[in-house]
Amino acid sequence: MPERLSAREAVALVAEEFTPDTAPPPPQPPDGPVAWSGYDASRARAAGRTGADESVLYGTATVGGRPCVLVVFEFGFLGGSLGRAAGDRLVAAYRTAAERRLPLVSLVATGGSRMQEGMVALAQLQRVAAAAVRLRAAGVAHVTVLRDPSTGGGWATVGAGADVVLALPTAQVAFAGSRVRPADADPAAYTAEGQYAHGHVDALVPPERLRETVALWLRLLGPDATPGDSEPPVAAPPPYALGPLGPPASGWDAVRRARAAERPRAGAYLARYFEVRATIRGDRAGGVDPGVECGFGVHEGRVIAYAAQDGGATRPAGFRTVARLVRLAGRLGVPVLTLIDTPGAANDADAERAGAGPAIADAFTALAEARTPVTSLLVGEGGSGGALALAAPGNTWAAPGGYFSVIAPELAAQILKRPPDRVPETADQLRLRPQDLVELGVVRGIVGADPRRDG
């Protein structure tokens, strides 16, 4: 079992400064709202052990020199459980963050709702959910850190409801607490590592790297990352081409270029484009596609969100993660860059069971309703709907080494019952070269090499 940090220790790991709100909890009826015998005595003992007057504390803080509103759970106070007073403080923290337009950082360690307050305790989950809706509507980000343990309603609202979810390695992270799980349950499913593997946690962060990681996210998602309300975000410029640079002579030449192993991939484009970046991971529905990278980065002083395919077939979780990224960027007022490089959507049985069609539809919808400008660059293969789902309507560009096609030339030849030696001819007929795409109005133009650097 990992070391369980007190609230004070958790704050010291993350923040340079913390000014807590010192208002005491409001008075309660004797032994709480349901008159649970001995409840007042339990609270008094918890306060004596921890020095805390409730399971939740909040205030303003500085992390990496950046201001935020900080919420911290004290697990030593009745297991960090949520009751009415804890709910009051959570709602106040969300409200303060929204009103002051400061990012919310939550350091979660909780066993769930406080049974000594009955349904009054459970109802706090609805209050927190409503406060989270107001925070999102205000365009303010929420970054959470999951400590040990993060279970029950605290995980299912404060933790899982955050925009970016970080977790300490080996922490218990699950809706079901340790005493209410099936006896034969796989213990790995209830860990931070298990939640990370299935796309519910964005990163596992060791304690010594927590402050720098949270500070980076505050830089990427904080109020100075986006323009003011009166300044609409400007579209991200497309990256320069990394090679090859000349136009392909034929359709089949374009296909072979895009499939060449030595051709620069999305990772090279991201490394050249961004000064620093951090990734979000997973679709929050149990899936991760390692072939799609999504996140936020800094380009020439501006924060830009990005989604990039790495050249493989994109799986349903990848499309859903892209949709998650685009919607988060829209709420925060951050422009989006997508890099297109896939032979198409995964078409195996597992992909169909995972909802390939609905996931692709979700990505198309997210880009169609994007609240901030989206810029797309075709850097390699552009296979059918799996590629087009990441293409910005009206603002897609092509690198000289890319191609877009309604279908792969080989599959088109099969459908037309043509022999293999006619595949190159079919590629030409599909008019899939970058210059063809410009002429057809599918892309705005072909990007060139960076004149300031070797291409």
Side-chain angles (χ1 to χ4, degrees):
M1 179 180 295
E3 179 185 0
R4 286 183 174 167
L5 302 171
S6 69
R8 184 179 295 106
E9 290 169 331
V11 170
L13 270 181
V14 174
E16 301 98 62
E17 299 177 3
F18 177 50
T19 305
D21 183 288
T22 56
Q28 296 194 51
D31 281 333
V34 299
W36 183 286
S37 179
Y39 180 40
D40 284 348
S42 296
R43 286 176 51 85
R45 288 192 297 271
R49 285 193 308 269
T50 64
D53 60 2
E54 245 307 331
S55 61
V56 169
L57 185 66
Y58 85 98
T60 55
T62 303
V63 179
R66 296 178 180 274
C68 65
V69 173
L70 183 67
V71 169
V72 57
F73 284 69
E74 175 54 79
F75 187 76
F77 193 102
L78 301 182
S81 56
L82 297 180
R84 175 76 196 199
D88 287 343
R89 289 186 173 177
L90 287 169
V91 170
Y94 280 79
R95 181 177 62 246
T96 301
E99 291 175 350
R100 298 184 60 179
R101 296 193 61 78
L102 290 176
L104 178 65
V105 176
S106 57
L107 310 179
V108 178
T110 174
S113 299
R114 192 171 299 172
M115 61 183 176
Q116 295 93 331
E117 293 190 21
M119 282 301 297
V120 172
L122 194 63
Q124 303 312 305
L125 306 186
Q126 294 174 317
R127 297 180 68 207
V128 172
V133 168
R134 292 190 290 270
L135 187 72
R136 294 189 190 106
V140 176
H142 177 191
V143 178
T144 196
V145 177
L146 306 177
R147 297 149 52 207
D148 183 64
S150 294
T151 60
W155 157 234
T157 53
V158 181
D163 298 312
V164 175
V165 180
L166 311 175
L168 293 175
T170 74
Q172 293 183 69
V173 179
F175 182 65
S178 59
R179 297 182 183 181
V180 297
R181 299 168 190 164
D184 60 350
D186 177 8
Y190 302 88
T191 63
E193 286 75 7
Q195 301 290 352
Y196 174 80
H198 290 91
H200 305 303
V201 167
D202 292 301
L204 301 173
V205 185
E208 64 273 14
R209 291 192 52 223
L210 205 52
R211 182 177 297 181
E212 67 180 271
T213 303
V214 173
L216 174 58
W217 277 112
L218 294 186
R219 178 185 179 188
L220 295 173
L221 305 183
D224 56 349
T226 59
D229 292 338
S230 61
E231 303 174 44
V234 177
Y240 290 105
L242 297 183
L245 298 177
S250 68
W252 190 236
D253 285 339
V255 172
R256 289 189 298 179
R257 273 189 182 190
R259 293 176 180 175
E262 67 275 12
R263 191 246 313 153
R265 305 285 162 167
Y269 278 89
L270 294 175
R272 178 68 66 91
Y273 192 79
F274 289 113
E275 302 152 29
V276 63
R277 69 184 195 267
T279 59
I280 64 170
R281 186 176 191 273
D283 63 3
R284 295 295 186 266
V288 175
D289 183 353
V292 175
E293 181 181 336
C294 295
F296 292 76
V298 177
H299 171 73
E300 296 183 350
R302 296 176 58 205
V303 174
I304 295 169
Y306 67 88
Q309 295 166 313
D310 76 345
T314 301
R315 306 202 66 79
F319 293 113
R320 285 192 287 262
T321 307
V322 171
R324 174 192 165 204
L325 182 280
V326 172
R327 292 184 175 118
L328 174 56
R331 285 199 283 105
L332 300 177
V334 177
V336 178
L337 170 71
T338 67
L339 301 181
I340 301 164
D341 186 5
T342 179
N347 59 4
D348 55 83
D350 284 344
E352 294 297 340
R353 282 190 285 264
I360 295 169
D362 195 32
F364 271 112
T365 300
L367 264 70
E369 66 185 7
R371 295 166 58 182
T372 52
V374 181
T375 303
S376 300
L377 178 63
L378 173 66
V379 301
E381 289 197 83
S384 195
L388 191 64
L390 268 69
N395 196 27
T396 295
W397 302 76
Y403 79 85
F404 245 141
S405 180
V406 64
I407 190 172
E410 297 90 339
L411 297 179
Q414 287 180 23
I415 292 172
L416 296 171
K417 299 182 179 179
R418 292 178 175 177
D421 61 3
R422 294 190 64 188
V423 168
E425 173 194 343
T426 305
D428 288 335
Q429 287 182 293
L430 287 168
R431 299 199 63 196
L432 47 73
R433 299 175 304 168
Q435 58 267 43
D436 297 325
L437 301 174
V438 173
E439 185 177 338
L440 291 169
V442 176
V443 302
R444 289 184 61 179
I446 302 170
V447 297
D450 187 344
R452 301 166 298 179
R453 307 165 86 163
D454 293 332

